Each structure stands twice: as structure tokens, then as C-alpha cells.
């Protein structure tokens, strides 16, 4: 596997962009941290540090809940408590969704620049739709996107390429005409499997690992820099 370096060359022949949500457009760690610790409190477990919760983000809410339980429980005990914990987490996350989340610098400007170039935009996230759509509306991101696919839109989610391939099919584009932008190995693996190019941002969550250690077509400091590099 190759490692990623800063992107500095134009990426041509692109007609659409698929963008991840958590860690790429939105800093949602505070919301997730609050919901996880309220869930853990209900289960008489001690609170976790925010950096620990961040290291669990990226493969969907079910994975987040299992990892949060795994701090204290064996795999067998995790499964015994999982459904209760998931229900508690979803209840608390609905309460705090968007309360602490912020838009990363350059996101609005980058999306506007992409639209000005005539690029079609899709958001693909592993977050369930019940949380995704209200959050995107609350943070002013919803109306930029022609397509929004959530973690429960299809049978599979990132790192499986299903969501990305569905975007390509909806747009009527070949994967080589589509580029993905994300913050984690789940994003890059999905893009590679779909046959799309992929850029990464360095400020996201990536399961607690350095973004430089994953295979992408380059690291961009912001969506605005990505917009400057991408052309049709």
C-alpha cells in the first residue's frame, strides 16, 4: 500500500464529487462524545475521553457503540448489551445531534467553488439517515447536494463500494469521472474498490491513525483546495 502526500497537481476529467460527512465536512466529535458518555452512564460505565471516542468514528454507529462497550466488556458481553446500548445511544444522539457540531473551514467555500465549475455533488456517509439529514440541514450543507446516501440507504456501506457505485449510476457517469473526498481509510477503500479517484483531508478522524499512512491520490488541506485542483 502506498502512502499519501499533499496533492499539488490538477485532477482532470472529473464530472462529480462524492464527499464524506463526519470528519470531512463536519466536526461532529463533540456530539458523538456526549451521546456515547450518556449511553455509558445509563449502563453504569465511566465516561470516555473525547480522543478515545474519536478513534472509534468512521465505520458507522453500530461499530462506534461496540467499540465504546469494548473498553469494558469482552466480545461476548458486548453482544449481550449491544441492542440496549444502541437504543440508548440513538436516543441520546437524537437529543444532541448538531448541538455542538461545526463546519470545518473551507467547506462552504469549497462546495460553492465546485458548483461554479459545474461539478455534480453527492454526500455519502455511514451515519444513518435519521441523523444525517437533520444535521446537514441544521449546518447549512443539505442544499449543496443532488444526492445524499446514508449508512442505511443500502445493504452495505463504506468501505464497501456500493454507495459510491450507486452515485455513479445515478449520475450516469463512469467511476473514473468521479472523485471521492474523505478523512479515513473507509473512504479510500470504498473509492478504490469503486474505481474512483480519492482525496483525503488531514483533520478528520481516520480511526485514530495518521491519514498519511493510507492510500489516496493526495491530501488536501480543505475542500476549497480540492475544488481548485479538480477540473472537468
Amino acid at each position: 500500500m502506498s502512502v499519501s502526500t499533499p496533492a499539488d497537481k490538477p485532477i482532470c476529467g472529473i464530472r462529480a464529487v462524492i464527499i464524506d460527512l463526519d470528519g470531512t465536512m463536519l466536526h461532529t466529535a463533540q456530539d458523538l462524545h456526549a451521546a456515547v458518555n450518556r449511553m455509558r452512564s445509563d449502563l453504569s460505565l465511566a465516561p470516555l475521553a473525547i480522543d478515545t471516542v474519536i478513534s472509534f468514528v468512521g465505520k458507522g454507529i453500530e461499530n462506534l457503540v461496540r467499540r465504546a462497550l469494548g473498553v469494558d466488556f469482552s466480545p461476548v458481553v458486548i453482544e449481550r448489551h449491544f441492542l440496549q446500548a444502541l437504543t440508548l445511544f440513538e436516543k441520546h444522539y437524537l437529543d444532541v445531534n448538531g448541538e455542538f457540531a461545526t463546519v470545518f473551514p473551507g467547506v462552504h467555500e469549497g462546495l460553492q467553488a465546485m458548483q461554479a465549475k459545474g461539478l455534480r455533488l453527492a454526500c455519502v456517509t455511514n451515519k444513518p439517515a435519521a441523523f444525517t439529514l437533520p444535521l446537514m440541514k441544521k449546518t447549512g450543507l443539505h442544499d449543496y447536494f443532488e444526492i445524499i446516501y446514508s449508512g442505511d440507504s443500502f445493504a452495505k456501506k463504506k468501505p464497501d463500494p456500493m454507495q459510491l457505485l450507486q452515485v455513479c449510476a445515478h449520475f450516469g457517469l463512469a467511476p473514473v469521472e468521479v472523485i471521492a473526498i474523505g478523512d479515513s481509510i473507509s473512504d479510500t477503500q470504498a473509492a478504490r474498490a469503486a474505481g474512483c479517484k480519492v482525496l483525503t483531508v488531514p483533520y478528520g478522524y481516520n480511526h485514530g491513525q495518521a491519514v498519511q499512512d493510507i492510500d489516496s491520490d493526495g491530501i488536501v488541506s480543505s475542500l476549497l483546495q480540492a475544488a481548485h485542483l479538480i477540473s472537468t
Side-chain angles (χ1 to χ4, degrees):
M1 182 182 70
S2 61
V3 297
S4 299
T5 58
D8 57 4
K9 297 179 181 179
I11 301 174
C12 303
I14 301 299
R15 298 176 61 190
V17 187
I18 299 173
I19 309 174
D20 176 54
L21 186 60
D22 292 64
T24 302
M25 291 192 288
L26 291 178
H27 184 30
T28 52
Q30 294 280 12
D31 288 350
L32 295 167
H33 182 236
V36 163
N37 279 340
R38 291 180 190 184
M39 172 200 78
R40 286 177 58 85
S41 177
D42 290 342
L43 297 173
S44 300
L45 300 174
L48 299 177
I50 189 167
D51 287 346
T52 300
V53 174
I54 287 173
S55 72
F56 300 158
V57 176
K59 293 184 178 179
I61 282 176
E62 295 88 348
N63 178 72
L64 172 62
V65 170
R66 282 194 169 92
R67 294 287 302 277
L69 293 175
V71 173
D72 301 272
F73 296 146
S74 69
V76 172
V77 179
I78 288 172
E79 294 310 312
R80 189 182 305 156
H81 291 280
F82 174 71
L83 290 179
Q84 178 191 11
L86 181 62
T87 299
L88 290 169
F89 175 84
E90 289 178 340
K91 171 184 177 294
H92 292 307
Y93 194 35
L94 279 171
D95 290 340
V96 300
N97 188 25
E99 183 175 343
F100 306 110
T102 57
V103 181
F104 285 114
V107 168
H108 286 293
E109 297 87 346
L111 295 173
Q112 291 162 7
M114 291 176 195
Q115 286 183 325
K117 289 186 172 187
L119 295 164
R120 301 177 76 176
L121 300 181
C123 175
V124 170
T125 175
N126 281 347
K127 186 189 296 292
F131 306 109
T132 298
L133 299 179
L135 178 61
M136 292 185 71
K137 289 176 180 177
K138 188 169 186 177
T139 53
L141 297 177
H142 182 274
D143 291 346
Y144 288 109
F145 294 94
E146 184 175 339
I147 300 173
I148 299 171
Y149 287 153
S150 301
D152 50 1
S153 296
F154 303 104
K156 297 180 180 179
K157 54 193 173 187
K158 298 179 290 186
D160 189 276
M162 179 178 284
Q163 295 162 299
L164 278 67
L165 290 171
Q166 290 288 339
V167 171
C168 295
H170 179 94
F171 284 155
L173 298 174
V176 294
E177 299 177 288
V178 180
I179 190 167
I181 304 175
D183 67 311
S184 78
I185 192 169
S186 294
D187 299 305
T188 60
Q189 288 178 336
R192 291 291 189 233
C196 302
K197 290 187 179 297
V198 58
L199 295 171
T200 46
V201 295
Y203 49 74
Y205 305 140
N206 193 34
H207 321 298
Q209 304 300 311
V211 73
Q212 290 81 5
D213 294 337
I214 61 177
D215 175 29
S216 77
D217 295 300
I219 300 169
V220 289
S221 60
S222 67
L223 292 195
L224 183 57
Q225 185 195 1
H228 292 326
L229 293 174
I230 299 168
S231 63
T232 57

